[in-house]
Amino acid sequence: MFLAKAGFISALVACLTVAGLEPAAVSEYTSAVIASEEVPAEEPSATETPEEPTPTPVTIVGIDVAQAPQTVTYGSKPKATAFLLNIYYSDGTTKTAEPEQVSIDTNATGLRDVNLAYQGFTTIAQIQVVPRTPSGFHMTDGTSSSVKANWDLQTEAAGYDVEIKDAPDAEWTPVSTTALNTAEFTGLTQGELRYIRVRAFSNDTQTTPEGEVVPLTSLSEWSAEYAIAPKPEDMTGEATAGKITRTKVELSWEPVIGATGYVVYYRYSTDKTFTRSGAVDGATTYKVTGLKGGYNYYFKVIPYAADESNPGGESPEAFYGTAPSLPKLTVRGGDKTIRVNYSGGRAAEALKLYVSEKKKGDYTLAYTFKPPVDFKVTSIHKLSNKKTYYVKMVAERTVAERFVSCETDPVKTTTAKATGTSKKAKFYKTKKKFKASPAYKNYTDFKKLMNYKKSYIVPGMINTNCGGFGSTTMVPQDMTIYGSYILISAYDLKKKNDSVIYVLNKSDRKLRTLILLPHKGHVGGIASDGAYIWLAYGKKMHALSGSVIGQAVSSGAAYTEVYKFSGTVTTNETISYITYYKGRIWAGAYNELASAYMYVYKRTISNGEPTLTRTGKMLMPDRTQGVAFTGKGKMIVSRSCQTDSRQRGFMSSLDIYSPDFDLDSTMKKGDREKSIPMPPMNEGILISGAYTYVIFESVAMSPPCAAPIDRVIAFKTSKLTKKKKKNSK
């Protein structure tokens, strides 16, 4: 094998020599061949994969500008999307991309360099910074034949080119070149419009490739066209109103010479500043919207020519009022009756209630309210049961000799028969059953002191006919005596029905009739001063003429509805209890955690209505629910909280005091002389004759009250106030 190779090499040397190679070069070449033959390369394994050559990475080698805007506005910042770059790569390819960063100073006009960057590479483009487009046009110094057009001054502008045309589709005609931001136009005709446009320019320089500095003018875009006209005449007549609703007033006026449009303003009658409502071009009518129902307004109109900055004299102020605010109706169908409560109707002089058997049928006037009233409720009687009716209300008023009104949508309801007011005891029908009650069995002092014979049933606790609507959740609160009647106040626990006063004969304790109050208030206190019945209602005390009681009894009706009180007194606190003593009304607030004042009031008559003047006060213990005074000056305080002794703040007792009376100053109740435990939820307290009567609201709270009482419980007053004997040492 080697000999064969040697022969081949000798022949190769001879050939190379003949070809003109130097012997040394031939020798070097043949040595390399021999060496390669002497160390043969290893054959690759059948299972071994040859290694792939490592690819050479492709990198960016340069960038330049492919696309750039010719101009940019003074003070603006051009976006990267306005530019496009050529990106060159090491493999010879090229692509385009937006720059990652754009940097240029546009606070001066003329040619400016823009620095564009992309992944570490930068390049420069040149852009001309031009002035901003003129804006802020307005007119001044107008006459019947001339006007000045003005626009915002631009610090970067050396001047402005102004052009004009006679009609929107006419050709533009150069007017002037001015260094000022104003141009005056004369020889105009009132009512005829002209149109101008303006562009700004700056005087800059540029350097040619040959190094020569030459002028360069930078021009802005032309402004939008702006209409001009001479000043219109003044408006002499006020606007008149057409249709008026709760929120709109339609105005009209006589045209003004030279006016191309009108601006309408309004203000509340109590305000001094007008609000711009809107403007109309050419028309002489306008609808002012967004007004409030039941308010009075002044309106004025200002004519203008071409633009609101070129006005004539304004019209005299016109006075009108909107229709009342729309009442909101709450309607319930009862026993041959419909109970209607409403709210709203601001500024209404009359609110007329209508009823119909058909939604789009003929409506009959059922009741007319004459606001203002304390409460807004009435009933429509003498209807048929199990029948559908529709009720709507119209609110009316007259302002500036204009009658205006609004009307609610009809409200649908259906009548239904109601059960009469119950007269039987809710829980304990007999004395035997009462004595088996938890209250009687578990409260020793209560059992010992109470007089069952003098006690009497609280009516309406099974069901109360609240003006044709049944309630099974009336909560008794307090009692008072008026003439020969006992009055018991109560409210509906579910707040579905109006509050009531049960009227009972004082002699036999039997229910005679019911007074239906015009609200759903708590009525925690009730007291009579001999002429008026005073009722607690939040931070108010309402006075009801005592004559209402006699009239209600005489009518023989199951109930009498009261729609308005005789007087109202506003207090600083929420009144929870009321009593009458020594010719004064005493009223106080309930507070579970702290003492609270009971205030003393003297009743007077003002403008034919009863009112109260505060004369004194007394600090009362917490959780006071009712107060009564004996003829000997003892004060019995009914205190209670919660339904169960396991609850926080639980209390239920009658506490006895001997106050220091001074009806015209601050009084002291003194130390508590005695405390008598009571079953839970004792409320109002009343002294009549030799007996003290206590009412409990637990009759309406069972469950969860574990010891409910369904009667007004009588106690011999002398036994309650008798001091306990001191224990001997």
Side-chain angles (χ1 to χ4, degrees), residues 325-638:
S325 63
L326 192 66
K328 294 181 180 179
L329 299 183
T330 301
V331 177
R332 289 181 66 201
D335 193 344
K336 296 182 180 180
T337 186
I338 295 175
R339 187 78 164 171
V340 180
N341 291 71
Y342 82 90
S343 61
R346 186 186 189 280
E349 296 168 353
L351 291 158
K352 295 181 178 179
L353 190 66
Y354 294 87
V355 63
S356 174
E357 295 180 8
K358 295 181 179 180
K359 186 175 183 179
K360 296 183 179 181
D362 293 331
Y363 281 79
T364 301
L365 178 64
Y367 190 84
T368 299
F369 293 90
K370 291 290 185 180
V373 292
D374 292 325
F375 294 92
K376 302 160 184 180
V377 58
T378 191
S379 293
I380 304 172
H381 296 297
K382 298 181 180 179
L383 303 175
S384 300
N385 268 341
K386 297 182 180 180
K387 195 166 186 177
T388 297
Y389 291 90
Y390 295 88
V391 176
K392 68 179 181 180
M393 181 174 278
V394 176
E396 302 173 346
R397 72 187 294 232
T398 300
V399 185
E401 301 182 351
R402 285 290 303 274
F403 173 81
V404 289
S405 66
C406 64
E407 181 179 302
T408 68
D409 292 331
V411 181
K412 178 182 177 181
T413 190
T414 303
T415 55
K417 187 173 179 59
T419 304
T421 300
S422 59
K423 300 178 181 179
K424 295 182 178 180
K426 184 173 182 179
F427 299 121
Y428 315 115
K429 303 293 191 285
T430 64
K431 181 177 181 180
K432 181 178 180 180
K433 288 184 178 181
F434 181 83
K435 288 187 173 183
S437 70
Y440 191 84
K441 291 169 62 178
N442 298 334
Y443 290 85
T444 305
D445 290 334
F446 171 79
K447 175 181 177 180
K448 180 181 177 181
L449 294 170
M450 73 160 289
N451 185 313
Y452 182 84
K453 186 176 180 180
K454 292 288 185 179
S455 302
Y456 54 92
I457 293 168
V458 180
M461 296 299 100
I462 298 173
N463 182 76
T464 297
N465 184 352
C466 299
F469 306 90
S471 171
T472 60
T473 54
M474 278 292 168
V475 184
Q477 289 294 289
D478 199 8
M479 305 161 292
T480 193
I481 299 290
Y482 176 77
S484 57
Y485 303 104
I486 299 172
L487 309 181
I488 299 176
S489 65
Y491 73 95
D492 190 349
L493 184 63
K494 293 185 177 180
K495 298 294 183 182
K496 192 174 182 180
N497 294 285
D498 291 322
S499 302
V500 300
I501 299 173
Y502 300 103
V503 181
L504 289 70
N505 279 334
K506 184 179 176 183
S507 57
D508 61 10
R509 274 62 167 175
K510 300 297 183 182
L511 178 69
R512 290 297 304 273
T513 190
L514 190 73
I515 304 297
L516 193 65
L517 300 174
H519 63 80
K520 299 178 177 65
H522 199 79
V523 289
I526 183 172
S528 169
D529 64 9
Y532 295 94
I533 313 301
W534 292 92
L535 291 146
Y537 181 77
K539 291 186 176 182
K540 294 180 179 180
M541 285 189 285
H542 291 299
L544 178 66
S545 175
S547 61
V548 173
I549 306 300
Q551 293 169 4
V553 174
S554 300
S555 71
Y559 57 84
T560 296
E561 296 174 279
V562 172
Y563 299 130
K564 186 178 180 180
F565 289 109
S566 304
T568 299
V569 175
T570 301
T571 64
N572 294 327
E573 298 183 80
T574 298
I575 301 301
S576 297
Y577 57 92
I578 306 176
T579 193
Y580 183 74
Y581 181 63
K582 287 185 175 292
R584 305 290 173 94
I585 291 291
W586 305 61
Y590 174 89
N591 192 309
E592 181 182 339
L593 303 176
S595 301
Y597 277 104
M598 175 173 63
Y599 295 98
V600 186
Y601 297 90
K602 183 179 180 180
R603 191 250 292 167
T604 58
I605 301 297
S606 177
N607 296 323
E609 294 185 0
T611 186
L612 298 175
T613 302
R614 197 170 81 185
T615 63
K617 63 182 179 179
M618 181 186 295
L619 190 62
M620 299 298 291
D622 57 54
R623 292 166 284 185
T624 296
Q625 298 280 9
V627 174
F629 296 96
T630 71
K632 295 182 178 181
K634 295 285 186 179
M635 181 172 69
I636 306 176
V637 181
S638 175

Side-chain angles (χ1 to χ4, degrees), residues 28 47 69 112-113 121 145 161 192 201 245 262 268 305 364 383 411 427 465 509 560 590 674 708 713 718:
E28 182 180 346
T47 59
R112 291 289 179 268
D113 289 340
F121 288 81
S145 61
D161 295 325
E192 292 185 6
F201 62 84
T245 68
Y262 302 86
Y268 291 115
T364 301
L383 303 175
V411 181
F427 299 121
N465 184 352
R509 274 62 167 175
T560 296
Y590 174 89
K674 188 178 181 180
I713 303 299
S718 59

Side-chain angles (χ1 to χ4, degrees), residues 86-141:
N86 289 319
I87 313 299
Y88 299 99
Y89 292 90
S90 58
D91 64 353
T93 60
T94 304
K95 76 170 188 179
T96 58
E98 294 175 2
E100 295 173 341
Q101 291 183 342
V102 177
S103 178
I104 182 176
D105 180 9
T106 61
N107 291 321
T109 57
L111 292 177
R112 291 289 179 268
D113 289 340
V114 184
N115 295 306
L116 307 172
Y118 186 86
Q119 295 189 11
F121 288 81
T122 60
T123 187
I124 294 175
Q126 261 200 339
I127 297 180
Q128 187 175 1
V129 178
V130 300
R132 293 166 291 173
T133 303
S135 61
F137 287 89
H138 59 282
M139 286 175 280
T140 58
D141 302 326

